[in-house]
Amino acid sequence: MTEEKQPALKLNLDVDEREMLKISRRSFLWAGVAGASAIGGIWWLGARELNRGIPWPLRRMLGLNEKIAEGYFRGYRLAPEFPEALATERINGDVGLDGDVDEKGYVVRVMGLHDMSHAVQEDASSEPAVSVPISAIRALPAVTMVTELKCIEGWSVVVKWKGARLRDFAAMCGPQTRSLSAPDIDRKPEDLLPYVALETPDGSYYVGIDIMSALHPQTLLCYEMNGRPLTNEHGAPLRLVIPVKYGVKNLKRIGSIRFTDRRPRDYWEERGYDWYAGL
Ligand SMILES: Nc1nc2c(c(=O)[nH]1)N[C@H]1C(S)=C(S)[C@@H](COP(=O)(O)O)O[C@H]1N2
Ligand SMILES: [Mo]
């Protein structure tokens, strides 16, 4: 796993989670996000500055990222990485992928944030949601990793992925907390709501993920696969890649992301598979 604009992380696979929480107190992201919220939050980012490149609060976050504390992600057990030469692909599952998408104007609808005051309701039947433009996700630190996608059918493929950490996305958006006070992902992950729900834009494929797996450093919102933009069959323009879970949870074409205290419905769980689907 490499992150652009910073040295490769040294990762320690065997430290327990308590240690991880302790270490993560040296957090860096929240400072950048606090800077952003102080001047009106990410909705402002989406609305105002994206055409001119990276808005300044994100640029500030990148700066802090460069000074990332060694061991920031210690304690998370990482999925193995593979040589790039092994990267290949296979297509499986097309539920929720009908039709084309507007890749440039694409937005992800986000629900369950601490501050929903900028949420908009599209129509009478839909729930108010904050629209985060895909350009804001592309402006987050880009992570590249070569990991295995394992299908419950019994096959797997090694794929080179590029995208933003769901963790960084969450830090940018500010999820709702149990205490209803401002979220602190690094220092108080236990105060976050326990689940994340993701759905395709048409709502026909949907997954639920436990929050700690969602915040895992290899859980990415990907826009590139094997060095090329995602194709429709692989979930263009944005898909979830979560190597600590089976393929079923790696939702293609993300239409919405919801932070929630209720265990979300899950497409393959409803068809008899394990809800957790962890490796
Ligand atoms: N939207 C959507 N996402 C999906 C599926 C699907 O049917 N629809 N199938 C899942 C399954 S079972 C697998 S194994 C992976 C396959 O991803 P790939 O086609 O990019 O290899 O996508 C997952 N994500
Ligand atoms: Mo699968």
Side-chain angles (χ1 to χ4, degrees):
M1 180 173 49
T2 58
E3 187 169 319
E4 279 168 25
K5 293 189 182 161
Q6 66 171 69
L9 293 171
K10 288 208 182 104
L11 294 154
N12 179 333
L13 309 190
D14 285 315
V15 185
D16 70 16
E17 288 225 331
R18 272 195 11 259
E19 186 64 14
M20 184 276 293
L21 295 179
K22 212 163 73 199
I23 289 161
S24 70
R25 287 207 180 97
R26 295 190 221 130
S27 68
F28 61 97
L29 260 177
W30 188 245
V33 174
S37 356
I39 50 164
I42 183 59
W43 348 122
W44 166 86
L45 297 180
R48 291 247 303 260
E49 292 247 3
L50 285 165
N51 310 346
R52 293 204 279 121
I54 306 172
W56 74 259
L58 287 180
R59 224 182 260 129
R60 188 174 155 206
M61 195 161 83
L62 288 172
L64 288 161
N65 247 328
E66 281 157 17
K67 292 181 219 127
I68 189 170
E70 219 177 82
Y72 174 65
F73 293 120
R74 222 177 281 167
Y76 267 114
R77 205 165 278 277
L78 293 178
E81 295 218 30
F82 297 83
E84 207 181 314
L86 296 181
T88 173
E89 67 160 300
R90 175 165 172 171
I91 298 166
N92 195 51
D94 59 3
V95 181
L97 304 182
D98 291 342
D100 284 330
V101 285
D102 165 19
E103 306 228 352
K104 282 212 178 113
Y106 199 78
V107 295
V108 176
R109 300 173 66 250
V110 187
M111 291 151 282
L113 297 181
H114 177 63
D115 177 4
M116 290 296 287
S117 64
H118 296 81
V120 290
Q121 189 169 8
E122 272 169 13
D123 55 66
S125 64
S126 69
E127 187 187 332
V130 171
S131 293
V132 177
I134 194 164
S135 48
I137 296 165
R138 286 173 166 279
L140 290 168
V143 175
T144 299
M145 64 182 189
V146 183
T147 54
E148 202 175 9
L149 180 76
K150 293 189 184 181
C151 179
I152 47 179
E153 292 166 357
W155 52 268
S156 78
V157 277
V158 170
V159 182
K160 179 183 166 189
W161 301 107
K162 181 175 173 180
R165 288 195 178 93
L166 181 52
R167 183 185 190 93
D168 290 347
F169 174 84
M172 173 175 77
C173 295
Q176 185 53 292
T177 55
R178 299 175 198 244
S179 67
L180 303 182
S181 53
D184 187 335
I185 289 174
D186 298 321
R187 278 187 259 171
K188 289 188 199 157
E190 69 285 353
D191 192 31
L192 299 172
L193 306 183
Y195 303 108
V196 183
L198 297 100
E199 299 197 358
T200 53
D202 67 1
S204 65
Y205 195 85
Y206 38 89
V207 298
I209 311 269
D210 56 283
I211 186 74
M212 289 314 280
S213 298
L215 300 177
H216 186 285
Q218 291 169 309
T219 299
L220 306 183
L221 303 174
C222 285
Y223 38 80
E224 272 183 30
M225 179 181 188
N226 294 335
R228 290 181 301 274
L230 276 185
T231 57
N232 275 348
E233 315 81 75
H234 291 297
L238 192 72
R239 71 170 300 167
L240 182 68
V241 175
I242 179 164
V244 298
K245 302 279 187 192
Y246 276 102
V248 285
K249 295 285 190 186
N250 290 242
L251 180 134
K252 300 189 274 192
R253 193 176 285 174
I254 301 167
S256 69
I257 299 178
R258 175 204 309 268
F259 299 92
T260 175
D261 55 3
R262 291 220 219 127
R263 198 174 88 156
R265 66 189 186 135
D266 188 275
Y267 186 88
W268 281 109
E269 189 218 14
E270 289 174 356
R271 286 152 183 83
Y273 289 91
D274 171 43
W275 185 87
Y276 190 73
L279 286 162

